[in-house]
């Protein structure tokens, strides 16, 4: 019979069609979710988000192609039970993908290999789905209708996934629970097909597949139930000291540890400060640019922990601090967590401090007021999203927001561990139009040698620290010494960093890779 003259499906056959369309939608939904989850987890722990997403997409698509090719090896008589088995396996592996990556990061030294292996395996299984579904539906639709139906439903599922991931999954579930949840959703295909196609399966095969499905479903369900305990154990293993606070946000994983008098903040496993020596970093960041500058209105980009604001508030003439931090969970921590509030002396509760939770680049692009001092206290440029905050274009925006004789300062990673990245920031500041750029560095034991760069259109004159400003580390004598760079961390010939060509990212990653 010609394809165009296929008989109208019966009510029983329409049930088959509906469950296969449901399976197609869930397949499209889960396939994109798994891809996003793996790439995001890789970016969390390794940084360099573009490289992680590129590798995951590339390996994923290649594996899907291989899976599609291999699907032809399954004969029609084994098609249905093979499809159900693949859905069970896919739900289990996809659901456990993020927990497995967390395990790999904590206990094995093969994290990147684990990312690619899981990506390839899931891609291989997903690559078999569409050919299997097309063959199962070929009895009920002509070829052109079959292909258009399958692909349109699959692509619609992918669209829903891309909307769910940033707006619902990351904010409310996080990557760990999201993968488990969608593993369970993937399992629903197995249950649905087993139920609807029950009469088309041999009894012993049906019992085996049902057992597998229930077992895999139970593993994922138990992992979700005990997710908090598992994450707590993982976090405890990852950090030497007692974990006092842990929270996963849409932007990062936040961990606070405490051992005796040492309070530490980690973002995605990277140390942000140790209470033992953070005063060295923050005094250098704040008091050197404040030297010889009667700054009344300050813009601080980053610094949501409130430690930089603590130092600024020591100046009685200061009238306002506008603090911009992307993650509201960080500024909430700085305002409400008793350990952090004690460390920052409740600086974020001061009426002179205004908090804005927004991306620094977006905020800078719409600035319509001037500041006497702009402080950039952002994380190191270990991914493209952060590298743009060290770009020539970003510095152009901030330069236009400086008042007459205003000053700019940024933390600039380590001139020892990431020497090329440090001097690239200096070159970028000069290329963005700043007439005067002053590099300096101090020793922070928790980080090593750490660098800063100050810039202004006016000559930079440092008058020392006012007598009424208390410091624990910085003195007038140390300020000129901080501007001296030994030969092994001295200036290099490097490229500037731009949005179009984020040179600093490679400089930074190659520098720190050697030491890590």
């Amino acid at each position: 019979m010609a394809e165009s003259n296929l008989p109208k499906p019966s009510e029983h056959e329409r049930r088959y069609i509906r469950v296969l369309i449901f399976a197609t939608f869930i397949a499209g939904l889960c396939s994109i979710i798994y891809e996003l989850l793996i790439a995001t987890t890789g970016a969390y722990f390794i940084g360099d988000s573009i490289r992680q997403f590129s590798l995951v997409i590339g390996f994923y698509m290649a594996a899907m192609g291989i899976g599609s090719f291999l699907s032809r090896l399954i004969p029609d008589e084994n098609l249905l039970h093979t499809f159900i088995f693949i859905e069970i396996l896919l739900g289990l592996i996809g659901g456990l993908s993020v927990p497995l990556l967390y395990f790999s990061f904590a206990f094995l030294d093969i994290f990147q290999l684990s990312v690619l292996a899981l990506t390839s395996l899931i891609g291989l299984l997903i690559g078999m789905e569409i050919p299997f579904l097309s063959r199962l539906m070929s009895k009920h639709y002509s070829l052109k209708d079959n292909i258009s139906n399958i692909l349109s439903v699959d692509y619609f599922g992918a669209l829903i996934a891309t909307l769910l991931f940033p707006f619902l999954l990351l904010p409310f579930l996080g990557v760990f629970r999201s993968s488990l949840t969608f593993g369970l959703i993937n399992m629903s295909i197995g249950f649905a097909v087993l139920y609807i196609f029950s009469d088309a399966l041999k009894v012993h095969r049906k019992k085996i597949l049902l057992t597998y499905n229930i077992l895999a479903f139970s593993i994922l369900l138990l992992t979700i139930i005990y997710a908090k305990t598992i994450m707590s154990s993982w976090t405890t293993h990852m950090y030497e000291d007692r974990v006092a606070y842990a929270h996963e946000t849409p932007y990062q994983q936040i961990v606070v540890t405490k051992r005796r008098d040492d309070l530490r903040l980690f973002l995605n496993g990277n140390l942000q400060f140790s209470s033992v020596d953070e005063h060295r970093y923050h005094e250098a960041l704040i008091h050197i640019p404040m030297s010889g500058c009667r700054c009344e209105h300050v813009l601080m980009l980053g610094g949501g922990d409130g430690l930089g604001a603590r130092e600024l508030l020591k100046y009685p003439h200061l009238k306002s601090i506008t603090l911009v931090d992307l993650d509201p969970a960080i500024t909430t921590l700085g305002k409400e967590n008793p350990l952090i509030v004690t460390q920052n002396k409740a600086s974020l509760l001061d009426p002179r401090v205004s908090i804005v939770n927004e991306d620094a680049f977006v905020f800078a692009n719409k600035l319509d007021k001037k500041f006497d001092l702009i402080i950039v206290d952002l994380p190191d440029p270990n991914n493209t999203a952060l590298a743009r905050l060290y770009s020539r274009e970003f510095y152009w925006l901030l330069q236009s927001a400086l008042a007459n004789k205003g000053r700019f300062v940024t933390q600039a990673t380590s001139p020892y561990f990431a020497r090329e990245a440090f001097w690239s920031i200096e070159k970028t500041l000069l290329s963005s139009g700043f007439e005067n750029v002053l590099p300096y560095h101090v020793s922070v034991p928790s980080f090593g040698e750490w660098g800063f760069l100050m810039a202004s259109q006016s000559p930079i004159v440092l008058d020392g620290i006012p007598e009424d400003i208390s410091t624990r580390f910085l003195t007038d004598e140390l300020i000129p010494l901080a501007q001296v760079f030994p030969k092994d961390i001295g200036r290099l010939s490097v490229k500037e960093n731009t949005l179009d060509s984020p040179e600093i990212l490679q400089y930074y990653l190659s520098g720190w890779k050697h030491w890590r």
Side-chain angles (χ1 to χ4, degrees):
M1 182 180 293
E3 288 184 347
S4 59
N5 296 317
L6 285 172
K8 185 178 181 180
S10 65
E11 179 59 32
H12 191 62
E13 288 174 324
R14 281 197 289 269
R15 292 177 64 201
Y16 289 175
I17 294 169
R18 283 195 291 269
V19 79
L20 290 175
I21 289 174
F22 164 78
T24 304
F25 174 79
I26 296 298
L29 182 71
C30 291
S31 65
I32 298 298
I33 292 291
Y34 295 147
E35 187 176 5
L36 291 170
L37 286 169
I38 292 173
T40 299
T41 305
Y44 271 6
F45 293 131
I46 299 180
D48 193 2
S49 54
I50 281 189
R51 181 176 297 181
Q52 291 305 309
F53 274 85
S54 294
L55 285 172
V56 167
I57 291 170
F59 274 75
Y60 204 74
M61 298 300 290
M64 284 178 66
I66 295 171
S68 296
F69 179 82
L70 293 177
S71 68
R72 70 176 67 186
L73 302 179
I74 306 300
D76 288 345
E77 59 268 23
N78 295 329
L79 183 61
L80 186 57
H81 83 268
T82 303
F83 173 70
I84 297 171
F85 178 75
I86 282 176
E87 290 305 320
I88 296 169
L89 191 61
L90 181 57
L92 182 63
I93 296 173
L96 292 175
S97 59
V98 172
L100 288 171
L101 288 176
Y102 272 62
F103 178 86
S104 174
F105 185 76
F107 299 102
L108 306 173
D109 193 24
I110 53 169
F111 181 77
Q112 184 68 82
L113 181 61
S114 300
V115 168
L116 298 181
L118 279 168
T119 298
S120 300
L121 182 55
I122 292 172
L124 186 75
L125 295 173
I126 287 174
M128 295 182 176
E129 280 183 317
I130 298 302
F132 282 176
L133 285 165
S134 298
R135 288 166 64 183
L136 287 168
M137 292 182 70
S138 62
K139 299 175 184 178
H140 311 294
Y141 290 103
S142 66
L143 177 61
K144 67 175 182 177
D145 290 339
N146 189 23
I147 292 175
S148 65
N149 288 338
I150 289 287
L151 293 181
S152 61
V153 173
D154 182 71
Y155 293 157
F156 182 69
L159 170 64
I160 298 300
T162 59
L163 296 175
L164 286 176
F165 187 76
F167 298 113
L168 289 177
L169 298 184
L170 282 185
F172 296 105
L173 292 179
V175 292
F176 194 91
R177 288 181 177 83
S178 290
S179 73
L180 294 166
T181 301
F182 273 83
L184 292 176
I185 292 173
N186 212 149
M187 292 282 181
S188 67
I189 297 178
F191 283 119
V193 176
L194 271 170
Y195 177 73
I196 297 298
F197 288 84
S198 178
D199 56 349
L201 292 165
K202 293 182 179 179
V203 175
H204 72 282
R205 283 185 171 179
K206 182 167 62 177
K207 288 182 177 178
I208 291 172
L209 289 172
L210 183 60
T211 301
Y212 286 163
N213 213 352
I214 292 172
L215 181 61
F217 189 91
S218 300
I219 291 171
L220 292 181
L221 188 61
L222 285 170
T223 308
I224 284 182
I225 292 171
Y226 291 100
K228 187 174 181 179
T229 302
I230 294 168
M231 285 297 296
S232 178
S233 299
W234 179 86
T235 305
T236 301
H237 174 82
M238 284 294 299
Y239 301 94
E240 296 178 1
D241 303 334
R242 178 179 67 86
V243 175
Y245 174 89
H247 180 59
E248 186 177 309
T249 80
Y251 308 103
Q252 58 205 339
Q253 185 187 62
I254 305 170
V255 173
V256 177
T257 65
K258 180 83 166 65
R259 180 173 63 177
R260 294 190 290 275
D261 63 341
D262 190 4
L263 181 72
R264 298 188 173 207
L265 172 66
F266 295 85
L267 299 181
N268 291 339
N270 298 310
L271 179 65
Q272 301 304 299
F273 74 77
S274 165
S275 61
V276 173
D277 57 19
E278 57 84 9
H279 62 279
R280 285 177 163 242
Y281 172 93
H282 289 101
E283 288 179 7
L285 177 68
I286 302 302
H287 298 301
I288 292 181
M290 287 290 283
S291 174
C293 172
R294 188 174 176 82
C295 300
E296 296 182 345
H297 301 284
V298 176
L299 170 63
M300 176 173 282
L301 303 175
D305 51 34
L307 299 176
R310 176 198 65 199
E311 297 301 315
L312 282 169
L313 291 170
K314 292 179 179 180
Y315 291 85
H317 60 263
L318 187 76
K319 292 182 179 179
S320 72
I321 301 172
T322 301
L323 191 150
V324 181
D325 198 295
L326 175 64
D327 195 344
I330 290 291
T331 50
T332 299
L333 190 76
K335 289 190 295 183
E336 298 179 2
N337 185 281
L339 295 171
I340 304 295
V341 171
T342 299
Q343 191 67 25
N344 67 27
K345 300 189 184 303
S347 62
L348 299 188
L349 300 176
D350 190 288
R352 289 172 288 176
V353 178
S354 301
I355 294 174
V356 179
N357 293 121
E358 191 171 19
D359 178 85
F361 202 105
V362 173
F363 181 84
N365 196 37
K366 58 185 181 183
L367 273 172
D368 58 359
K369 60 183 295 187
K370 301 288 185 178
F371 296 91
D372 304 308
L373 174 62
I374 296 178
I375 300 166
V376 177
D377 187 17
L378 295 166
D380 285 356
N382 64 359
N383 60 55
T384 49
L386 289 168
R388 69 196 173 102
L389 302 178
Y390 293 81
S391 67
R392 179 183 62 197
E393 292 80 0
F394 183 58
Y395 294 151
W396 274 341
L397 294 174
L398 295 181
Q399 183 189 147
S400 65
L402 276 177
N404 185 35
K405 297 185 180 179
R407 289 181 178 179
F408 167 92
V409 66
T410 181
Q411 81 86 11
T413 193
S414 171
Y416 186 79
F417 297 112
R419 185 180 175 188
E420 290 178 314
F422 178 83
W423 294 110
S424 175
I425 298 172
E426 183 203 41
K427 185 163 186 176
T428 304
L429 285 168
L430 289 168
S431 71
S432 68
F434 281 108
E435 295 292 332
N436 301 282
V437 177
L438 177 67
Y440 62 97
H441 63 106
V442 297
S443 175
V444 183
S446 296
F447 296 126
E449 204 67 29
W450 211 258
F452 306 85
L453 285 153
M454 194 186 333
S456 178
Q457 298 294 38
S458 304
I460 300 173
V461 179
L462 303 179
D463 295 336
I465 305 168
E467 292 183 1
D468 59 339
I469 302 300
S470 63
T471 60
R472 297 172 57 191
F473 159 70
L474 197 63
T475 64
D476 289 351
E477 292 77 16
L478 282 177
I479 292 177
L481 292 177
Q483 300 168 46
V484 178
F485 283 77
K487 289 178 67 175
D488 60 350
I489 61 172
R491 187 174 284 103
L492 292 172
S493 176
V494 289
K495 297 178 182 178
E496 64 186 272
N497 185 55
T498 67
L499 288 178
D500 183 60
S501 183
E503 301 290 343
I504 196 172
L505 180 60
Q506 191 55 45
Y507 287 149
Y508 179 86
L509 293 175
S510 61
W512 279 102
K513 181 180 180 180
H514 174 74
W515 298 102
R516 288 173 175 167

